[in-house]
Amino acid sequence: MTPNETLHRETPGEPIIEAVGLGRDFVLSEGPFLRRTRRRVSAVGDVTFTVRAGEIVGYLGPNGAGKSSTMKMLTGILTPTSGTVRVAGLEPARRRTRLAAEIGVVFGQRTTLWWDLPLRDSLSLTRHLYRVPEREHAERLAELTELLELGPFLDTPVRQLSLGQRMRGDLTAALLHAPRLLVLDEPTIGLDVVSKSTIREFLLRTNAERGTTILITTHDLGDVERLCDRVMVIDHGRLVFDGDLPELRATVPVPRVLVVDLAAPAPRIEVPGAHAVRVEGPRQWLELRDNPARVIAEVAGDHEVVDLTLREPDIETVVSSLYRGTVSVERADGS
Amino acid sequence: MRVHFAVYARGLRRHSTYRAALVAGLITNSVFGAINAMVLLAVFSARPQINGYDASDAVTQVFVGQMLIAVTMIVNTGPSLDLAERIRTGEVANDLLRPVSLQGWCLSQDLGRATCGFLFRGVPTFLVGVVLFDVVAPYEIAGALAFSTSVVLAALVGFALRYLYSLCGFWMLDSRGVWAVAGLVGPILAGMILPLPLFPPAIGDLLRLLPWASMVQIPAEILLGKESLPGGGILSGLALQALWAAVLLGLGAWITATATRRVVIQGG
């Protein structure tokens, strides 16, 4: 099967990743030598999800939640201790090298490029690695070179590239064989705003034009808001949420916050449907439990109001409250 | 196969970008070769024949050894295969995500490095020996062919051993201890520090059978056409090298499969 056939064979909606009850335990040895005790800890426990062709799915979770372990199991470099997983119809741990031809992987903190050689040499190697016909490889490289603006540094040794340039090179290397699934582990880590936006635009375009499925882990919630149709949140090895962004906002009841600027400092406001959770001089933050219009009328009745802002909870607040299992209003004011 | 050739070519190019390192290596190997040769000449001036070796055989082996350093990387006390460091940092995850075998990938790249080292460091070092000392060079076609084959097999054994040292990192988290021990013991077992004929014959014969000897002692004796080779001749010497290469590479493939099934790649 040539990558070309794969490309046109893709049916949207067909499952490309199916994980059922996926889990991974690690055995830790602790204590002094000879009196060492072994303890079993679960990094990922009983995770079930399906990713369909053409989706862009964000996989979120705090450090140590089990994101990387899941990614390693999906790509076949870690064998699950429980459950099953199939990626592109293959069992990853058993068919790792076969699966490698179907997927593209970028670990943001690592590189597949040859450090001492010009970027061009690493990219031309993928033609042999994935047996891409020469003409197709040249077309694809020309296209990616244009989209990711690789032209100026194609002949520069990788060790001399900036982080943003190297990341664009790594993305190109992962996509030259037109994989059905692109797995990205923190692809925008350490990048500046311009590089981030170049990469996000590029990923959206690849998804739209080629139907490439993208699974992305990130701590950058800008990536999530800009890219993902759907997010999965993992915490302590368990999926705590799986759905789209509006659903995510609805699931976690992070209250909206009304910021009120009074003419003069006043005692903590307490009205039906809202109460102040933070006071700073004449400014007060009211957590809303009720219709804002009614609250505003109440507040304006008792105080002289100079200004008002209503703040919607952003994704970061929602996700961090999911991680902690609590709702924090301190973060909801966006400060 | 084409992939492996492409990786080989990149390994070669990659190492040829460090020209200063090649020149520095050439000077180091020549100077050490000269010192080692002078010490052995002093030994042989006291006793012209030791277990079938004369002074010329001994200095030839010294320069074969120095030439093969750049091929087999036998004298390094630290990791001399990128894989070792890549396992320690978890970078090996990327290597495992390629649609080719890990060992095949590393081997192709290392043979590229060895070719570069042989041409630009090993051969000039040997020529320094030919100019300064009474070193035997392979002048006949048959001898040159046998010796070249032996050098290729030495490169395979050198790679296979270093690959196995590196794999220890999957279990030990850091393979540097293994490398340090191998860097100390390997050159002695190989006949690099002292030619094995200078050992008592029973020990020398035993050491010739171990894989390390296939990196220096056996190639030197093949060049010299010695009967002290295991099996008594050039062909059996080559056969022993080929056997070690096959056994060690087979072991490497098997351990790689076990490691990737059971072991955890480090780093988040």
Side-chain angles (χ1 to χ4, degrees):
Chain A
M1 178 167 55
T2 70
N4 203 19
E5 282 165 3
T6 323
L7 195 67
H8 297 295
R9 222 177 43 127
E10 204 62 77
T11 327
E14 180 194 330
I16 192 158
I17 303 177
E18 286 178 285
V20 181
L22 191 61
R24 171 73 202 199
D25 295 342
F26 292 103
V27 175
L28 291 186
S29 295
E30 289 174 295
F33 187 60
L34 294 179
R35 271 185 296 159
R36 204 161 278 177
T37 54
R38 303 186 123 221
R39 191 162 60 95
R40 193 167 264 278
V41 291
S42 163
V44 177
D46 198 19
V47 166
T48 300
F49 63 86
T50 302
V51 173
R52 296 178 182 284
E55 281 188 298
I56 305 185
V57 180
Y59 195 50
L60 316 180
N63 292 324
K67 291 193 305 291
S68 289
S69 294
T70 311
M71 288 301 200
K72 285 174 180 170
M73 288 192 278
L74 295 182
T75 52
I77 55 179
L78 184 65
T79 312
T81 40
S82 60
T84 58
V85 58
R86 288 186 91 75
V87 178
L90 300 166
E91 194 184 326
R94 278 173 192 278
R95 310 289 310 277
R96 190 186 72 243
T97 42
R98 172 75 185 78
L99 178 64
E102 302 286 335
I103 61 178
V105 184
V106 177
F107 290 124
Q109 320 215 40
R110 295 178 175 150
T111 182
T112 55
L113 305 172
W114 292 59
W115 198 243
D116 312 284
L117 294 182
L119 177 59
R120 189 185 291 283
D121 285 31
S122 296
L123 299 180
S124 64
L125 184 63
T126 60
R127 179 164 81 77
H128 304 289
L129 210 46
Y130 298 99
R131 295 163 204 246
V132 183
E134 192 163 359
R135 209 178 57 110
E136 197 183 312
H137 175 84
E139 281 171 10
R140 194 109 176 89
L141 180 58
E143 186 192 337
L144 291 165
T145 301
E146 196 197 320
L147 284 176
L148 286 167
E149 296 161 32
L150 307 177
F153 52 88
L154 265 181
D155 294 302
T156 309
V158 171
R159 59 169 186 267
Q160 293 172 13
L161 298 183
S162 72
L163 184 60
Q165 292 172 330
R166 205 211 72 204
M167 182 55 64
R168 275 135 72 194
D170 262 310
L171 265 178
T172 307
L175 282 165
L176 272 171
H177 62 290
R180 302 160 65 180
L181 171 67
L182 184 60
V183 175
L184 305 169
D185 195 0
E186 302 196 36
T188 57
I189 193 164
L191 299 187
D192 63 39
V193 182
V194 179
S195 304
K196 273 183 190 173
S197 108
T198 309
I199 285 179
R200 287 173 190 160
E201 290 309 314
F202 170 74
L203 291 176
L204 283 173
R205 198 166 158 173
T206 304
N207 171 262
E209 290 177 4
R210 301 215 155 230
T212 310
T213 314
I214 300 176
L215 180 66
I216 177 171
T217 77
T218 181
H219 288 292
D220 187 320
L221 295 153
D223 288 347
V224 179
E225 303 224 22
R226 185 78 190 85
L227 292 175
C228 301
D229 318 320
R230 173 179 157 202
V231 287
M232 300 190 293
V233 181
I234 186 172
D235 194 17
H236 294 103
R238 290 178 188 279
L239 270 192
V240 291
F241 177 81
D242 183 353
D244 61 19
L245 286 180
E247 239 177 285
L248 179 61
R249 284 203 180 87
T251 308
V252 187
V254 178
R256 290 188 292 179
V257 169
L258 183 67
V259 184
V260 187
D261 283 333
L262 304 173
R268 206 167 263 266
I269 296 173
E270 196 77 50
V271 293
H275 68 281
V277 288
R278 193 172 149 197
V279 181
E280 246 173 51
R283 178 173 287 190
Q284 302 212 4
W285 282 259
L286 306 186
E287 188 180 300
L288 292 175
R289 291 184 303 275
D290 202 355
N291 180 346
R294 201 174 308 150
V295 171
I296 291 168
E298 287 277 350
V299 173
D302 301 344
H303 305 82
E304 192 184 339
V305 175
V306 181
D307 198 6
L308 284 168
T309 349
L310 186 61
R311 292 205 175 140
E312 293 288 336
D314 57 9
I315 278 300
E316 182 167 7
T317 316
V318 174
V319 170
S320 65
S321 66
L322 259 180
Y323 293 170
R324 274 175 282 149
T326 56
V327 176
S328 158
V329 180
E330 302 306 315
R331 299 294 301 274
D333 65 349
S335 66
Chain B
M1 207 56 220
R2 292 190 55 184
V3 136
H4 291 105
F5 187 75
V7 174
Y8 168 83
R10 278 162 186 75
L12 208 164
R13 279 191 55 196
R14 182 186 156 203
H15 285 271
S16 59
T17 55
Y18 297 102
R19 298 202 179 89
L22 284 169
V23 173
L26 162 59
I27 293 171
T28 312
N29 295 158
S30 305
V31 170
F32 270 87
I35 294 171
N36 204 341
M38 285 188 278
V39 171
L40 284 173
L41 285 177
V43 172
F44 278 90
S45 72
R47 255 179 82 180
Q49 282 276 337
I50 302 172
N51 297 327
Y53 257 47
D54 62 15
S56 169
D57 294 337
V59 291
T60 301
Q61 173 154 349
V62 164
F63 277 93
V64 167
Q66 293 296 326
M67 169 167 71
L68 291 178
I69 285 177
V71 174
T72 61
M73 306 294 272
I74 189 169
V75 293
N76 289 57
T77 51
S80 64
L81 200 63
D82 288 346
L83 179 66
E85 182 63 10
R86 296 178 70 84
I87 290 174
R88 193 179 69 79
T89 58
E91 200 84 29
V92 67
N94 272 330
D95 300 324
L96 292 171
L97 290 172
R98 295 194 182 98
V100 288
S101 87
L102 181 65
Q103 186 173 240
W105 173 273
C106 293
L107 174 62
S108 314
Q109 198 181 333
D110 195 58
L111 288 182
R113 181 207 54 73
T115 306
C116 174
F118 181 72
L119 293 179
F120 300 110
R121 210 174 117 187
V123 171
T125 302
F126 193 75
L127 291 178
V128 169
V130 171
V131 171
L132 296 183
F133 297 93
D134 185 17
V135 165
V136 178
Y139 295 117
E140 288 167 30
I141 297 219
L145 208 63
F147 183 60
S148 312
T149 311
S150 180
V151 168
V152 173
L153 291 171
L156 289 175
V157 172
F159 164 78
L161 280 173
R162 290 182 299 128
Y163 184 76
L164 290 172
Y165 303 156
S166 306
L167 289 186
C168 294
F170 275 127
W171 284 274
M172 304 173 76
L173 309 186
D174 190 343
S175 61
R176 275 180 289 195
V178 175
W179 285 95
V181 173
L184 279 173
V185 179
I188 299 170
L189 298 178
M192 177 90 208
I193 305 289
L194 276 182
L196 295 188
L198 271 62
F199 286 70
I203 295 179
D205 287 344
L206 179 68
L207 294 187
R208 277 187 184 84
L209 294 175
L210 299 183
W212 292 273
S214 286
M215 293 188 284
V216 178
Q217 185 64 38
I218 307 291
E221 289 184 332
I222 283 172
L223 174 62
L224 295 166
K226 289 289 178 188
E227 283 177 10
S228 47
L229 280 166
I234 288 175
L235 283 180
S236 60
L238 290 172
L240 178 68
Q241 283 186 295
L243 182 70
W244 272 125
V247 167
L248 296 173
L249 290 172
L251 196 60
W254 180 67
I255 295 179
T256 308
T258 312
T260 47
R261 257 201 323 275
R262 296 227 187 121
V263 167
V264 177
I265 309 296
Q266 302 190 69

